[in-house]
Amino acid sequence: MPAQIDRFVVPDTMDGERLDRALEALVDGYSRSQLQKLVRRGRVRVAGKEVHRSNGYVAVGDEIEIEHERVGDLPPVADEVKILTEDESILVVVKPSGMLTHAADRATGTNLASLLDQQYGPLPTSRGEDRPGIVHRLDRETSGVLVIARTEKAMAHLRDQFRAQTVEKDYVAIVSGHPSGRFQIYAPIGPVPGKPDRQMIDHTDGKDAVTDVNVIQTYLSHSLLALRIQTGRRHQIRVHLAERGFPVVGDPMYGTKRQVPLPIGESRLALHSHRIAFEHPATGERVEFESALPDEMENAISELEG
C-alpha cells in the first residue's frame, strides 16, 4: 500500500515563516511533537528537497509535501537495539555496529535516535531536532552501551556529568601491534583541515583528549585492550591508538595497509563500548551497565587464541 502524501503551498502570509510554525498552521491532525518527528525522519520535503530540521524557513509559493507514516515503516526497536534498562528519565541501550547514533547530513540509513524516538518519544531535542535524546554518541562502526535522556531535566543532568568527566566509559578493542602494560595517552584532537569527517592530533588548536589504556592480552600480531576515555572527542580512541602505532582492527580511516586482517565482519571496527557508569538523574544513585562483546569480536579473539 503506497504511503499517503499531502501537499501544501506556502501562502503569502507565511513568507519567511519557520517550517515548524508553517506545518502547525497547514497540517491538521498532528501535534507539534508529531510534526517534528515527521521532519526528523525525512517525511517532509520543502520545494522538492527532503529536510531533517524544522527550524528552517519557508518562502511563499514553496510546496510542502508530507508523507504520512504507516505502521511498520520503521523496524521495531527490539529487532535492532538491545534495551538494558528503561524508566521515566533514561534509556540505556546497546547500539549495534553499522547503525548511526543520530541523523547526519552526509550519511544515510537507520539511526538509533529515530528508532528510540518512534517507540519512546517524544525525546528531548535541546541538542538539536536531529538528535532526540542523544547525550553522547558512538561512531557508526562501533557497537556498545549508550545512555539516552527521556526528559530535558535528565538531559541537562547527564550533560553536566559528562562535562565534569564523572561518567565512566569503558571500551574493549582489538588492535594491530603490541603496546605494553598500562599507559595514558594525552594528546589534543581536532579536525583535519578540508576533511570534516577525519580527526587528527592537533597540539595547536585541538581540544584536550585523554585515553587510559590497559593491555589485556597480546597475540602474534595483535593485542586486546581495555580502554577508558576521560574525554569524549570524536574518533578519540581511534586517533590516539593510531598515533601510537596501534590502529584498531577494521579501521579504514586511521588504519594502515600493513595491518593483518581479521574476520570481524563487514564495515565494523573491533571496538566496543562495554560499560558505562553514571549518577542516575532522577535518583542520584550511582548506576552502571555492561554489554558483552559482540559475536564478531569474540570470534576474532577465538581465532587469535587458536
Side-chain angles (χ1 to χ4, degrees):
M1 178 180 177
Q4 177 188 341
I5 298 178
D6 286 340
R7 294 176 174 85
F8 308 87
V9 176
V10 176
D12 294 349
T13 55
M14 293 185 184
D15 188 30
E17 185 65 271
R18 275 177 51 127
L19 174 60
D20 53 359
R21 296 193 183 104
L23 290 174
E24 283 188 85
L26 295 171
V27 184
D28 293 327
Y30 282 87
S31 67
R32 184 176 185 179
S33 63
Q34 288 172 326
L35 289 168
Q36 288 174 342
K37 283 186 185 182
L38 288 174
V39 173
R40 290 197 295 266
R41 294 171 188 163
R43 304 285 183 173
V44 176
R45 288 179 290 277
V46 177
K49 184 178 180 180
E50 186 177 293
V51 294
H52 293 276
R53 298 181 182 181
S54 57
N55 61 351
Y57 296 89
V58 297
V60 60
D62 282 349
E63 183 179 70
I64 300 176
E65 295 178 278
I66 308 289
E67 181 180 343
H68 299 280
E69 293 188 313
R70 301 163 297 172
V71 175
D73 276 346
L74 288 175
V77 169
D79 291 350
E80 298 269 339
V81 179
K82 183 178 181 180
I83 307 296
L84 297 180
T85 192
E86 60 178 279
D87 59 38
E88 294 181 354
S89 298
I90 62 169
L91 298 164
V92 180
V93 306
V94 181
K95 185 189 82 69
S97 172
M99 178 181 287
L100 290 164
T101 300
H102 57 75
D105 291 340
R106 293 179 296 276
T108 59
T110 301
N111 68 81
L112 177 69
S114 292
L115 287 175
L116 296 176
D117 193 54
Q118 178 200 35
Q119 183 160 327
Y120 297 97
L123 300 175
T125 57
S126 57
R127 295 199 66 196
E129 293 179 359
D130 57 343
R131 54 181 72 190
I134 299 301
V135 184
H136 61 130
R137 63 183 295 277
L138 294 175
D139 296 338
R140 184 175 196 160
E141 303 84 359
T142 302
S143 56
V145 183
L146 282 169
V147 57
I148 307 295
R150 298 189 68 181
T151 67
E152 290 292 358
K153 183 178 179 180
M155 174 76 80
H157 195 292
L158 289 167
R159 289 190 70 188
D160 285 346
Q161 293 182 65
F162 275 96
R163 289 193 189 101
Q165 299 181 8
T166 59
V167 179
E168 294 176 5
K169 297 165 288 183
D170 294 332
Y171 292 73
V172 173
I174 305 171
V175 302
S176 296
H178 296 137
S180 59
R182 292 175 178 265
F183 57 96
Q184 185 178 83
I185 302 174
Y186 175 85
I189 292 175
V192 175
K195 297 181 179 179
D197 291 332
R198 189 181 178 96
Q199 305 291 296
M200 67 178 188
I201 303 298
D202 182 352
H203 291 284
T204 302
D205 299 313
K207 295 182 179 180
D208 289 349
V210 183
T211 304
D212 296 320
V213 184
N214 181 27
V215 178
I216 301 173
Q217 184 66 53
T218 57
Y219 308 101
L220 182 62
S221 302
H222 299 85
S223 298
L224 182 66
L225 308 182
L227 307 123
R228 175 170 293 182
I229 55 174
Q230 296 185 29
T231 51
R233 308 306 177 197
R234 188 179 189 191
H235 298 176
Q236 177 175 320
I237 290 174
R238 299 162 64 185
V239 172
H240 272 177
L241 291 176
E243 190 270 342
R244 287 296 185 94
F246 310 115
V248 175
V249 168
D251 192 342
M253 186 172 290
Y254 302 105
T256 68
K257 293 181 180 180
R258 297 191 301 275
Q259 281 182 286
V260 179
L262 282 174
I264 59 168
E266 262 188 66
S267 300
R268 80 148 295 147
L269 301 171
L271 179 62
H272 181 71
S273 169
H274 96 100
R275 176 182 173 273
I276 190 167
F278 55 91
E279 182 181 287
H280 193 287
T283 67
E285 177 188 3
R286 188 75 178 174
V287 292
E288 65 176 81
F289 301 92
E290 294 187 3
S291 167
L293 288 182
D295 290 343
E296 304 97 324
M297 289 183 65
E298 288 284 9
N299 292 340
I301 292 169
S302 294
E303 178 166 304
L304 290 170
E305 292 175 340

